Amino acid sequence: MITILKEPSQIITVDTKGKNYKRGKQLKNISLLENHSIVVEDDIIKDIIPNSSVKKNVNKTIINLNGKVVLPGLIEAHTHAAFAGSRANEFKMRLQGKGYEEIAKAGGGINFTVKAVRESSFDDLVELVKPRISYFISRGVTTLEIKSGYGLSYYDEIKLLQVINHLNSINKIDIVPTFLGAHTFPPEYKNDHEKYIEIINNTMIPFIAENKLAVFCDAFCESTAFSAEQVDRIFTAAVENGLKIKLHTEQFNIIGGLDVALKHNATSADHLEVAGDAEVAKIAKSETVAVLLPGVSFFLDYDYAPARKLINENAIVALATDFNPGSSHIADLNLIMSLASLKMGMSIEETISAVTINAAKALDVEKNVGSIEIGKKADFAIFDTNEYSDIVYSVGRNLNCMTIKNGEVIYEV
Ligand code: NIG
Ligand code: FE
């Protein structure tokens, strides 16, 4: 079936000339096309043609985009959307001056959500996460990563991954599952960290890999969570079992996480709020994507990652929401683009590359999605404006009016 996306005002192709990601100063090149239409055959981009070449043909489906802006479907590369319960209480405590790490140490934080997840059934969790996925779709997201990490037992981590995989099978967008059993130590292993690592390495990882429940293995390398040496052992087991690697690192303290991520050729290293010049230089020289999460800095009101330094040093920079109940209760990738511009000095064009092709690289799907190039998946986010800058300029206002996945309209205002 042929579909024509007819006469948008602008097509932002984020063309990579077949390279499939953007480093450093390439991020600002987003390739703007005017007076063109997109030809889709089934689920694939077949051609991008001048409007004058669009022939009237009854056998084609026409989607009239007159006056609107087309971007590649947005890629959300870092979320903890599979959670239960609310942490509004902690939000109130933080407004009264308590710190995020302080609240976690006092029994709140991640382990508060773990309790709520353990008390929820598979069906409860499916119903909780479903509308969150719809929300992402209504913001133009066509590929969405979701982590486990709030189960922290064999049973509950598998339950969360099964929920995520089930939601992938019933949704039209692609949902990428990540195993985050090493999110923090659960209360029952508070005094026996080795035992919990043994369960992760010898029980959880082999089962998850064998049953293809996750694509990535992630961990949280932080003084309140896992040490670099512990993460190193977990990643060794993960890689041996065929999982790809991501890491939460350099969020509050520099304790060697980035070195471990790079040692294991991590697909991405995420957070980096406190990364210094040495860390910037290391990641910039690697193939590992720096996934920056300005929603966390905004929500917790602390340091922003050194986006400008990373871009100037030639790193592959992506942006994501980190949507979760504690450190970033923000699920709007367009708002993240605005925060990245206003708070980290990224240009509008750089933020577009960071939520499309570079976010695709952070999920290792950049060969299929993330840019509007012939042969790639027909995934698009359509915005109700004639000028792409409005997407970032309209802070907190959703301009996405249509989301197309695999050539099919899956959301329309
Ligand atoms: O990415 N850093 C660790 N994990 C999450 C927060 C999870 C939570 O507070 O529930 C993050 O910020
Ligand atoms: Fe996170």
Side-chain angles (χ1 to χ4, degrees):
M1 190 180 85
I2 302 280
T3 306
I4 311 276
L5 306 192
K6 198 173 160 216
E7 297 178 12
S9 61
Q10 298 176 333
I11 304 171
I12 309 298
T13 67
V14 199
D15 191 1
T16 66
K17 314 263 177 299
K19 194 158 186 256
N20 291 321
Y21 66 87
K22 290 184 191 278
R23 251 183 209 286
K25 55 182 185 312
Q26 296 162 350
L27 266 91
K28 66 178 187 306
N29 305 327
I30 54 167
S31 304
L32 166 72
L33 273 180
E34 290 176 327
N35 304 313
H36 279 70
S37 295
I38 302 172
V39 184
V40 171
E41 183 165 11
D42 301 324
D43 57 342
I44 300 292
I45 298 165
K46 192 155 189 261
D47 210 351
I48 304 166
I49 56 173
N51 288 338
S52 54
S53 309
V54 177
K55 297 184 191 70
K56 288 198 180 67
N57 187 324
V58 278
N59 292 326
K60 292 182 181 122
T61 307
I62 303 286
I63 300 178
N64 209 326
L65 296 183
N66 212 349
K68 299 193 168 61
V69 171
V70 184
L71 255 66
L74 306 188
I75 315 286
E76 168 56 76
H78 183 140
T79 85
H80 304 254
F83 64 85
S86 163
R87 306 240 296 272
N89 220 24
E90 289 179 17
F91 185 69
K92 285 187 197 159
M93 285 161 77
R94 286 199 298 103
L95 296 180
Q96 286 158 7
K98 285 242 179 328
Y100 174 74
E101 286 184 289
E102 194 184 348
I103 292 167
K105 277 184 196 140
I110 295 168
N111 270 317
F112 184 88
T113 304
V114 169
K115 193 167 176 292
V117 164
R118 288 180 176 180
E119 285 163 3
S120 305
S121 68
F122 174 92
D123 290 341
D124 294 339
L125 287 162
V126 167
E127 289 314 309
L128 279 170
V129 185
K130 250 187 211 167
R132 296 175 189 155
I133 294 169
S134 302
Y135 184 90
F136 278 105
I137 293 171
S138 75
R139 265 61 189 164
V141 169
T142 51
T143 303
L144 168 68
E145 188 255 17
I146 306 181
K147 302 174 197 298
S148 64
Y150 292 121
L152 307 190
S153 70
Y154 178 71
Y155 176 83
D156 294 290
E157 279 297 303
I158 304 294
K159 178 177 75 182
L160 274 179
L161 288 172
Q162 283 169 339
V163 167
I164 298 165
N165 280 278
H166 173 69
L167 289 165
N168 184 35
S169 71
I170 62 170
N171 274 282
K172 296 210 162 143
I173 63 165
D174 293 320
I175 298 176
V176 179
T178 294
F179 169 57
L180 180 58
H183 198 183
T184 194
F185 289 97
E188 61 277 21
Y189 294 111
K190 193 169 74 187
N191 299 317
D192 193 357
H193 290 181
E194 276 311 304
K195 182 72 194 160
Y196 186 57
I197 294 169
E198 190 189 307
I199 295 169
I200 291 178
N201 287 356
N202 300 341
T203 314
M204 295 192 201
I205 288 176
F207 183 87
I208 288 161
E210 196 184 323
N211 292 283
K212 300 201 178 340
L213 289 176
V215 174
F216 290 97
C217 176
D218 195 345
F220 184 23
C221 190
E222 185 53 60
S223 47
T224 50
F226 291 77
S227 70
E229 182 275 327
Q230 291 169 333
V231 171
D232 190 17
R233 282 189 279 138
I234 293 165
F235 283 179
T236 302
V239 171
E240 268 170 25
N241 281 272
L243 294 174
K244 298 177 213 173
I245 299 298
K246 288 183 169 290
L247 186 61
H248 285 69
T249 195
E250 268 78 354
Q251 182 178 5
F252 300 113
N253 296 287
I254 302 178
I255 61 163
L258 181 61
D259 292 327
V260 173
L262 296 178
K263 173 182 164 188
H264 290 279
N265 295 318
T267 308
S268 72
D270 305 35
H271 277 288
L272 306 173
E273 288 86 342
V274 298
D277 291 351
E279 289 71 35
V280 167
K282 281 183 216 171
I283 195 166
K285 281 194 201 78
S286 77
E287 278 282 309
T288 299
V289 180
V291 178
L292 310 185
L293 311 165
V296 180
S297 307
F298 179 69
F299 199 76
L300 298 183
D301 194 19
Y302 78 120
D303 307 344
Y304 285 81
R308 278 267 52 91
K309 281 188 181 170
L310 285 159
I311 292 172
N312 291 345
E313 292 290 319
N314 216 24
I316 310 166
V317 171
L319 289 166
T321 61
D322 196 12
F323 175 55
N324 74 72
S327 70
S328 175
H329 202 229
I330 300 173
D332 187 332
L333 204 44
N334 301 324
L335 175 60
I336 296 301
M337 295 162 83
S338 302
L339 288 176
S341 295
L342 291 167
K343 298 290 192 178
M344 301 199 300
M346 287 175 70
S347 70
I348 288 173
E349 293 76 16
E350 287 169 338
T351 71
I352 290 176
S353 295
V355 298
T356 55
I357 194 62
N358 282 1
K361 182 158 172 66
L363 294 180
D364 201 19
V365 291
E366 74 277 10
K367 291 192 179 67
N368 299 323
V369 295
S371 58
I372 302 177
E373 292 179 88
I374 293 167
K376 281 200 167 183
K377 286 279 181 186
D379 294 359
F380 308 100
I382 317 294
F383 294 88
D384 192 8
T385 172
N386 56 11
E387 209 322 285
Y388 72 87
S389 305
D390 285 342
I391 299 165
V392 180
Y393 165 59
S394 303
V395 182
R397 189 153 68 91
N398 184 30
L399 296 183
N400 179 250
C401 59
M402 187 188 284
T403 306
I404 299 177
K405 176 72 193 173
N406 291 325
E408 187 187 335
V409 177
I410 59 165
Y411 168 81
E412 196 175 359
V413 181

